[in-house]
Amino acid sequence: NESKVEIIKETQSNTILETKMDYISKGIDDIKLDNRDQCRQLNVIAERVTRVEESTKSCHKRLDDIEKK
């Protein structure tokens, strides 16, 4: 009888641990997805900053040309 009780307790404990591990695993997957999305957003922002810098450089050149006249 004691061994059956121990087996039941161990099974319950293992089930709880598996459930918690699944929950943690899903949380990690969500974090990975969020991280990928943030990386994409950063890349978009970096591209926009590069375009703004190029535009600013071009604008400064035109202003310099105007000042020389």
Side-chain angles (χ1 to χ4, degrees):
N1 261 351
E2 275 188 43
S3 64
K4 286 184 180 182
V5 171
E6 283 183 33
I7 290 172
I8 291 171
K9 285 182 181 181
E10 188 173 327
T11 302
Q12 289 173 338
S13 178
N14 286 342
T15 302
I16 290 169
L17 287 175
E18 286 182 30
T19 303
K20 288 181 179 183
M21 288 176 63
D22 285 344
Y23 180 76
I24 291 169
S25 178
K26 288 176 184 176
I28 290 171
D29 290 343
D30 289 345
I31 291 169
K32 286 180 180 179
L33 289 173
D34 288 346
N35 191 31
R36 285 188 196 121
D37 188 45
Q38 286 181 348
C39 284
R40 284 189 204 108
Q41 289 176 357
L42 276 175
N43 286 336
V44 168
I45 291 170
E47 289 173 18
R48 290 180 68 190
V49 167
T50 299
R51 280 188 249 127
V52 167
E53 288 173 338
E54 290 169 352
S55 178
T56 302
K57 183 177 179 181
S58 175
C59 183
H60 280 287
K61 274 187 169 182
R62 288 190 300 249
L63 287 173
D64 288 343
D65 290 344
I66 291 171
E67 287 179 352
K68 288 178 184 176
K69 291 180 181 182

